[in-house]
């Protein structure tokens, strides 16, 4: 059955009009965005027809030498735990009004991406409007001659590709922005007037295999996506050599019900020729060659691909512009599941999932991370807080500036809390230096009321006590370990071991072979048998007696309070093996950096978007008073962590 004129054919007949109006589009804006992203990794996001545009964008960046581009669907991007900090994120959507593109924008804005760009033809789409309201996002609207676009959004695709081609040409400084558009329009008009491919011997019921050079993903993706979405033919794409690794079995079993579409370049013609010779002669095939698959030729191939889709549609009796769909289609397309998930995957949840996946603990509950976080938030915000215990390095001061005094703003908040009746304590891996720093920073009147657990909680005193004059008893097992470390030569020449009575501390930069240190030192009997445990911070290893724990400080404080009020613990090394993992494993607690890989363990409020003393300050400022106790007011955090 042949259809003399279809909606799709009508749309193709006016494609050149959209190319012409592209001359008045935001070409300079796109060119600036391309230049800005040069040298950075970019993530290109698109689904359906917009996946074609994402592939074309990737090809343009490759031809400009701008670096690696990762092409993903919205669901790829939302669910991925990859860190895209410093990357550019480009989102492509014709209408910018479906739940999945909304999900992609939500996820992108929750990352530390360098810039988020949305390219669309519809500035009134809900996602375009939301992106325009964000300081971190940029919306670029490509002009289109026909806004009512048909099922495959042909004009929208060509509009975005025209804008990208012209902008890339400006960046390459090869020609003016209108010259390349005129060339593209002329080539499209030539294709429209050329005869159909005579070798196209498609039979309804054929399986279509699109074999392609990897440089031609734009065209290959277009054919695969369009044929499948319109139900013209079952279709699969593979590059030539991936086809050679098993994908050819279908050709052996169904040679008479198969059509091959081969998309080659100058680099891959011979590879395809060898495959074609080896295949049974009864297998039908058509070929198209993109030369060097440059930006211009790849843009032209989009229209060539649309023409192939039209011809196959006519052969199958299907109008690609209006193929029809099941009654259930709207429910699937409009489902908000991915956008709901993107809303749940706030930075703190992604931060936690990073740790869960890193440690891959089979005992981790199968609860959704967002639900586990809700429970944690409910417990945290409902806690009646009578005391606060803080780690020091990485929490009160940054690891990099650990010898500097705490920020005056932090001291002011601690003083405010202490004066209101909240007990203040510290649990630190340090010895007397932490007491010296805090005595200088905190008002002297508070010193007798502040509790410090030195050496990871093994030696607890009030701040007014100088532990240089009140030292803990020496542990003989630690003395033996110190001797063994000296004998084994673990330290780099020039460094001497810091022997402590209750703790041995070795900085990472003092170790000659840090990659094997933990494994090697585990052979020492007291460590192997569990009498000494190894803890780590973000700058050092600490060896302490097995009974040592920072939780001793929180327990001591709860006992002293005696009224059933809770003690909020805040630290930074909550990851597996970190010296705050026990402290932050007991609720209520908050990490301002590392978290453990268990959903029931430590959590952060801000993920990686705010950490260390900066995050601590936000938390302390959010402690408000209610009926004689402090409560953490989430509304005071400056961002909704839930």
């Amino acid at each position: 059955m042949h259809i003399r004129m279809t909606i799709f054919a009508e749309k193709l007949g006016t494609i050149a009009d959209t190319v012409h109006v592209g001359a008045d589009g935001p070409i300079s804006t796109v060119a600036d965005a391309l230049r800005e992203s040069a040298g950075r990794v970019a993530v290109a996001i698109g689904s359906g027809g917009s996946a074609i545009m994402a592939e074309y964008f990737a090809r343009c960046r490759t031809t400009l030498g701008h670096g690696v581009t990762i092409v993903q669907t919205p669901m790829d991007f939302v669910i991925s735990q990859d860190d895209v900090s410093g990357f550019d994120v480009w989102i492509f959507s014709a209408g910018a009004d479906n739940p999945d593109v909304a999900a992609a924008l939500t996820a992108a804005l929750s990352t530390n991406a360098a810039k988020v760009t949305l390219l669309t033809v519809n500035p009134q789409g809900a996602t375009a409007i939301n992106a325009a309201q964000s300081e971190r996002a940029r919306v670029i609207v490509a002009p289109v001659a026909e806004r009512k676009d048909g099922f495959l959004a042909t004009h929208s695709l060509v509009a975005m590709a025209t804008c990208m081609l012209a902008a890339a040409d400006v960046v390459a400084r090869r020609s003016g922005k209108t010259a390349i558009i005129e060339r593209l329009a002329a080539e499209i008009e030539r294709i429209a007037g050329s005869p159909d491919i005579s070798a196209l011997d498609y039979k309804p019921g054929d399986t279509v295999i699109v074999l392609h050079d990897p440089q031609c993903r734009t065209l290959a993706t277009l054919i695969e996506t369009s044929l499948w979405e319109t139900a013209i033919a079952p279709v699969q794409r593979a590059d030539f050599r991936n086809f050679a690794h098993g994908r050819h079995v279908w050709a052996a079993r169904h040679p008479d019900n198969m059509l091959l579409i081969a998309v080659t370049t100058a680099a891959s013609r011979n590879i395809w020729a060898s495959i074609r010779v080896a295949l049974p002669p009864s297998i039908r095939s058509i070929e198209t060659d993109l030369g060097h698959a440059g930006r211009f030729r790849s843009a032209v191939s989009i229209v060539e691909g649309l023409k192939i889709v039209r011809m196959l549609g006519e052969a199958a009796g299907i109008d690609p512009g209006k193929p029809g769909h099941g009654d259930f289609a709207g429910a699937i397309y409009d489902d908000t599941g991915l956008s709901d998930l993107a809303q749940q995957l706030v930075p703190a949840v992604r931060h936690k999932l990073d740790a869960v996946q890193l440690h891959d603990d089979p005992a981790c509950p199968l609860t959704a991370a967002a639900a586990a976080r809700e429970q944690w938030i409910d417990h945290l915000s409902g806690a009646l807080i009578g005391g606060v215990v803080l780690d020091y390095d990485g929490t009160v001061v940054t690891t990099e500036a650990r010898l500097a005094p705490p920020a005056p703003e932090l001291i002011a908040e601690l003083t405010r809390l202490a004066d209101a009746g909240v007990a203040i304590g510290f649990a630190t891996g340090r010895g007397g230096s932490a007491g010296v720093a805090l005595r200088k920073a905190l008002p002297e009147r508070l010193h007798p009321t502040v509790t410090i657990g030195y050496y990871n909680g093994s030696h607890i005193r009030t701040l007014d006590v100088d532990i240089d004059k009140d030292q803990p008893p020496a542990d003989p097992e630690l003395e033996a370990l110190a001797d063994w470390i000296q004998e084994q030569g673990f330290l780099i020449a020039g460094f001497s071991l810091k022997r402590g009575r209750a703790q041995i501390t070795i900085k990472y930069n003092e170790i000659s072979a840090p990659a094997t240190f933990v494994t090697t030192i585990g052979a020492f009997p007291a460590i192997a048998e569990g009498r000494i445990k190894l803890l780590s911070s973000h700058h050092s290893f600490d060896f302490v007696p097995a009974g040592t724990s920072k939780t001793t400080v929180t327990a001591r404080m709860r006992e002293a309070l005696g009224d059933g009020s809770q003690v909020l613990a805040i630290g930074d090394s909550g990851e597996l093996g970190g010296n705050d993992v026990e402290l932050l494993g007991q609720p209520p607690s908050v990490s301002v950096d590392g978290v453990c890989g268990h959903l029931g363990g430590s959590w952060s409020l801000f993920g990686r978007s705010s950490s260390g003393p900066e995050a601590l300050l936000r938390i302390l400022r959010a402690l408000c008073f209610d009926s004689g106790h402090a409560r953490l007011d989430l509304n005071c955090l400056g961002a909704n962590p839930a």
Side-chain angles (χ1 to χ4, degrees):
M1 177 182 177
H2 290 274
I3 303 172
R4 292 184 178 277
M5 179 56 72
T6 63
I7 292 174
F8 192 69
E10 291 177 357
K11 295 299 179 185
L12 292 187
T14 57
I15 282 290
D17 295 343
T18 283
V19 175
H20 285 303
V21 301
D24 297 322
I27 296 170
S28 296
T29 302
V30 178
D32 289 342
L34 286 171
R35 291 190 191 98
E36 181 184 317
S37 69
R40 293 200 289 251
V41 175
V43 181
I45 303 169
S47 58
S50 295
I52 303 162
M53 187 57 217
E55 292 287 2
Y56 182 65
F57 166 74
R59 187 63 189 153
C60 287
R61 275 180 47 92
T62 294
T63 62
L64 292 171
H66 280 187
V68 173
T69 306
I70 302 166
V71 178
Q72 294 185 315
T73 66
M75 189 165 185
D76 278 336
F77 183 72
V78 169
I79 290 183
S80 171
Q81 285 300 113
D82 294 331
D83 183 5
V84 298
S85 298
F87 292 10
D88 272 23
V89 175
W90 288 69
I91 303 172
F92 301 94
S93 177
D97 57 0
N98 67 76
D100 290 352
V101 72
L105 178 67
T106 297
L109 294 178
S110 73
T111 70
N112 290 324
K115 191 70 179 182
V116 179
T117 301
L118 171 66
L119 180 59
T120 183
V121 299
N122 181 22
Q124 300 307 313
T127 301
I129 293 171
N130 289 338
Q133 294 171 348
S134 170
E135 294 180 356
R136 298 188 54 230
R138 164 176 51 205
V139 180
I140 303 176
V141 181
V144 62
E146 293 192 29
R147 195 54 198 94
K148 294 187 71 173
D149 214 8
F151 186 79
L152 291 181
T154 51
H155 278 260
S156 298
L157 171 60
V158 170
M160 291 188 287
T162 299
C163 193
M164 188 62 63
L165 169 65
D169 212 58
V170 169
V171 172
R173 299 178 184 175
R174 291 182 55 244
S175 63
K177 66 181 182 181
T178 56
I180 197 70
I181 289 177
E182 290 168 0
R183 283 181 58 202
L184 180 60
E187 190 65 13
I188 288 172
E189 289 167 352
R190 182 194 65 76
I191 293 169
S194 65
D196 290 351
I197 301 172
S198 59
L200 183 57
D201 189 15
Y202 171 74
K203 298 185 304 183
D206 278 348
T207 295
V208 177
I209 306 294
V210 184
L211 301 185
H212 63 95
D213 184 311
Q215 299 174 98
C216 306
R217 286 195 185 93
T218 302
L219 176 54
T221 302
L222 185 151
I223 296 172
E224 180 192 44
T225 300
S226 300
L227 295 185
W228 188 263
E229 288 187 356
T230 57
I232 290 172
V235 58
Q236 185 183 66
R237 69 179 176 95
D239 69 51
F240 294 117
R241 293 312 305 164
N242 196 26
F243 173 75
H245 287 259
R247 302 283 179 106
H248 52 74
V249 175
W250 188 267
R253 292 180 177 271
H254 307 279
D256 299 326
N257 300 101
M258 177 176 174
L259 174 68
L260 287 177
I261 301 177
V263 186
T264 59
T265 69
S268 56
R269 289 168 193 154
N270 292 339
I271 296 174
W272 160 240
S274 297
I275 292 174
R276 176 66 268 190
V277 168
L279 287 169
S282 62
I283 292 179
R284 288 156 287 127
S285 65
I286 61 173
E287 303 173 15
T288 183
D289 191 291
L290 302 193
H292 294 289
R295 299 182 297 276
F296 181 78
R297 187 67 187 86
S298 295
V300 170
S301 79
I302 291 175
V303 180
E304 291 175 333
L306 293 172
K307 185 171 183 179
I308 291 173
V309 172
R310 177 184 65 77
M311 291 185 291
L312 288 172
E314 290 179 356
I318 293 174
D319 180 356
K322 193 174 182 180
H325 54 73
D327 295 338
F328 55 84
I332 295 175
Y333 183 82
D334 296 329
D335 183 76
T336 61
L338 188 63
S339 58
D340 294 342
L341 178 60
Q343 294 286 348
Q344 294 167 5
L345 293 176
V346 295
V349 173
R350 291 186 177 276
H351 184 208
K352 186 65 171 182
L353 286 173
D354 285 343
V356 169
Q357 293 183 5
L358 174 64
H359 298 300
D360 197 23
D361 181 2
C364 184
L366 299 181
T367 312
R373 177 171 166 76
E374 286 291 340
Q375 293 179 352
W376 175 77
I377 285 286
D378 287 345
H379 187 104
L380 181 65
S381 60
L384 298 176
I385 298 169
V388 177
V389 171
L390 309 175
D391 169 56
Y392 193 76
D393 292 338
T395 302
V396 176
V397 294
T398 65
T399 301
E400 298 76 17
R402 55 190 298 267
L403 300 182
E409 298 87 352
L410 273 177
I411 296 301
E413 287 303 313
L414 290 173
T415 302
R416 173 182 73 87
L417 293 171
D419 286 341
V422 175
I424 303 297
F426 297 86
T428 176
R430 284 206 206 184
S433 63
V436 171
L438 287 169
R439 281 192 290 274
K440 291 179 180 178
L442 287 167
E444 186 173 357
R445 60 185 171 79
L446 297 180
H447 294 184
T449 68
V450 174
T451 302
I452 303 187
Y454 298 97
Y455 305 119
N456 286 291
S458 67
H459 192 52
I460 301 177
R461 296 291 185 269
T462 52
L463 180 58
D464 58 331
V465 176
D466 182 353
I467 67 165
D468 285 341
K469 301 173 183 177
D470 182 9
Q471 295 189 8
D475 187 288
E477 299 243 57
L478 286 177
E479 292 179 347
L481 174 60
D483 292 338
W484 188 74
I485 290 173
Q486 295 271 200
E487 293 169 3
Q488 295 298 314
F490 288 124
L491 300 186
I492 296 172
F495 286 102
S496 58
L497 182 65
K498 185 178 179 182
R499 292 170 175 259
R501 297 167 65 87
Q503 177 174 291
I504 296 172
T505 298
I506 303 177
K507 296 188 177 80
Y508 297 153
N509 64 353
E510 297 174 348
I511 303 168
S512 58
T516 60
F517 176 72
V518 174
T519 303
T520 307
I521 202 142
F524 185 72
I527 295 177
E529 296 166 14
R531 297 190 302 278
I532 292 178
K533 63 182 178 183
L534 170 61
L535 303 173
S536 62
S537 66
H538 290 153
H539 61 86
S540 67
F541 292 114
D542 295 334
F543 299 89
V544 296
T548 299
S549 176
K550 289 185 176 182
T551 59
T552 307
V553 183
T554 54
R556 179 80 62 90
M557 187 174 288
R558 278 195 299 270
E559 183 180 350
L561 289 170
D563 60 355
S565 58
Q566 295 172 281
V567 176
L568 174 64
I570 306 175
D572 72 312
S573 296
E575 65 277 6
L576 185 66
N579 65 359
D580 294 328
V581 69
E582 293 178 346
L583 179 70
L584 301 181
Q586 297 183 349
S589 63
V590 181
S591 175
V592 293
D593 198 345
V595 296
C596 71
H598 195 280
L599 293 179
S602 56
W603 283 83
S604 67
L605 279 166
F606 313 112
R608 301 192 185 282
S609 64
S610 181
S611 61
E614 174 192 338
L616 174 61
L617 181 60
R618 293 172 66 181
I619 295 167
L620 295 181
R621 285 175 171 168
L623 287 173
C624 304
F625 290 92
D626 178 16
S627 303
H629 291 88
R631 286 182 182 268
L632 186 65
D633 186 348
L634 300 181
N635 295 322
C636 294
L637 289 172
N640 184 2

